[in-house]
């Protein structure tokens, strides 16, 4: 687990933690400017309970790193435009006046404030933020460790499943062959049943014809018998 000293000394480690800006509000509420994005040097100093000079010295000493994490220094027309925007937002919230910087203004984002927390040594608030960061890092590493163990177990189970499937392969192959043979037998049986159905249909027609011939012969015989009785009666 990283230590507080490692956080001071390793810029790469600080970069890894830059996404954890939510920790700032867990330690203390950070009051933003009306745009909801930026804070001034005074606001940062008030958050960490240090002087504005301490914050400026720190940002000057790590100027490149802070610039990469959102620190901006406004001057001239850019500063006037920002003040104009802030004044309109400030009035929209019912506040009469907005404190304006005379010549330049440093603007910090939440990432920049978190960057300050990771480098500011003489602040109890900053130490608390670092403690939250490191505890969260430790918990995350523990979760990764537990996940790694679970993945290892799954991999070992998959290895066992692989060997079992290899042994099962020939059995499945034989079962497939037997099913194919059974399918062929069923097909032959269906053909035989079809042929028998055709023959039975022909036999049924033959029976119908025989019935018709029998009926005709019986009718002729009855006619002859009646005719014989008539002739015998006359004599």
């Amino acid at each position: 687990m990283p230590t507080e000293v490692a956080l001071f000394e390793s810029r790469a480690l600080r970069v890894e933690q830059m996404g954890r800006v939510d920790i700032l509000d867990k330690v203390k509420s950070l009051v933003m400017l009306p745009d909801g994005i930026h804070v001034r040097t005074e606001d940062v100093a008030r958050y960490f309970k240090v002087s504005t000079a301490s914050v400026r010295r720190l940002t000057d000493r790590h100027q490149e790193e802070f610039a990469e994490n959102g620190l901006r220094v406004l001057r001239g027309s850019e500063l006037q435009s920002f003040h104009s925007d802030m004044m309109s937002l400030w009035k929209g919230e019912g506040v009469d006046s907005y404190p304006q910087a005379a010549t330049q203004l440093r603007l910090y984002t939440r990432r920049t404030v978190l960057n300050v927390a990771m480098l500011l040594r003489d602040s109890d608030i900053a130490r608390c933020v670092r403690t939250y960061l490191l505890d969260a890092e430790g918990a995350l590493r523990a979760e990764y460790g537990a996940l790694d163990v679970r993945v290892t177990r799954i991999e070992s189970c998959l290895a066992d499943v692989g060997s079992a499937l290899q042994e099962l392969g020939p059995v499945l192959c034989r079962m497939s062959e037997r099913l194919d043979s059974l399918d062929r037998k069923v097909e032959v049986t269906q053909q035989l049943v079809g042929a028998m159905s055709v023959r039975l249909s022909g036999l049924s027609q033959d029976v119908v014809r025989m019935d018709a011939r029998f009926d005709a012969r019986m009718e002729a015989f009855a006619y002859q018998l009646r005719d014989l009785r008539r002739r015998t009666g006359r004599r």
Side-chain angles (χ1 to χ4, degrees):
M1 175 178 170
T3 63
E4 191 173 15
V5 174
L7 203 58
F8 288 140
E9 296 178 351
S10 173
R11 181 173 174 177
L13 183 58
R14 293 194 293 273
V15 170
E16 290 179 3
Q17 305 298 326
M18 278 302 164
R20 303 301 311 277
V21 294
D22 57 302
I23 287 178
L24 294 172
D25 288 318
K26 290 181 180 180
V27 176
K28 182 182 177 182
S29 178
L30 179 63
V31 180
M32 311 297 291
L33 288 175
D35 64 354
I37 300 173
H38 299 99
V39 291
R40 303 162 300 172
T41 304
E42 299 92 315
D43 303 318
V44 178
R46 190 177 303 112
Y47 179 84
F48 290 110
K49 295 184 178 180
V50 295
S51 65
T52 55
S54 298
V55 177
R56 289 195 183 95
R57 284 195 299 269
L58 182 66
T59 54
D60 288 341
R61 194 159 57 246
H62 302 274
Q63 186 174 2
E64 180 184 352
E65 181 178 344
F66 279 102
E68 289 180 359
N69 287 310
L71 179 64
R72 297 170 57 198
V73 181
L74 304 184
R75 299 182 180 86
S77 60
E78 191 177 16
L79 176 60
Q80 292 177 2
S81 176
F82 181 81
H83 280 323
S84 176
D85 292 340
M86 287 302 102
M87 286 180 66
S88 62
L89 291 172
W90 206 275
K91 289 180 181 179
E93 294 183 359
V95 180
D96 295 332
S97 62
Y98 161 72
Q100 301 184 31
T103 57
Q104 70 174 24
L105 176 65
R106 297 190 187 197
L107 292 178
Y108 303 72
T109 63
R110 286 182 177 273
R111 286 175 63 91
T112 324
V113 176
L114 183 61
N115 203 163
V116 172
M118 287 188 279
L119 289 167
L120 189 61
R121 296 173 182 268
D122 300 326
S123 166
D124 291 337
I125 301 297
R127 276 192 289 271
C128 190
V129 172
R130 290 193 293 272
T131 299
Y132 265 94
L133 279 175
L134 296 173
D135 288 347
E137 176 73 11
L140 188 60
R141 289 179 182 273
E143 290 179 6
Y144 281 150
L147 181 61
D148 183 63
V149 171
R150 291 175 64 186
V151 170
T152 302
R153 290 176 180 172
I154 291 173
E155 288 176 346
S156 63
C157 291
L158 289 177
D160 294 337
V161 170
S163 60
L165 288 176
Q166 289 178 351
E167 296 174 358
L168 189 59
V171 177
L172 293 175
C173 184
R174 289 194 296 271
M175 289 180 65
S176 177
E177 292 174 353
R178 292 182 64 184
L179 288 174
D180 290 339
S181 176
L182 183 60
D183 286 340
R184 289 192 294 271
K185 291 179 180 178
V186 169
E187 185 177 357
V188 170
T189 302
Q190 289 176 342
Q191 292 175 354
L192 290 173
V193 170
M196 289 177 65
S197 177
V198 172
R199 293 184 63 182
L200 288 173
S201 176
L203 183 60
S204 176
Q205 293 175 0
D206 291 342
V207 170
V208 171
R209 285 194 295 269
M210 289 178 65
D211 285 343
R213 291 174 62 185
F214 179 77
D215 289 343
R217 293 182 66 179
M218 290 300 295
E219 185 177 352
F221 178 73
Y223 175 78
Q224 292 175 358
L225 183 61
R226 286 195 299 271
D227 184 59
L228 179 62
R229 285 178 178 175
R230 283 195 302 269
R231 282 187 287 179
T232 304
R234 288 177 184 177
R235 290 179 184 177

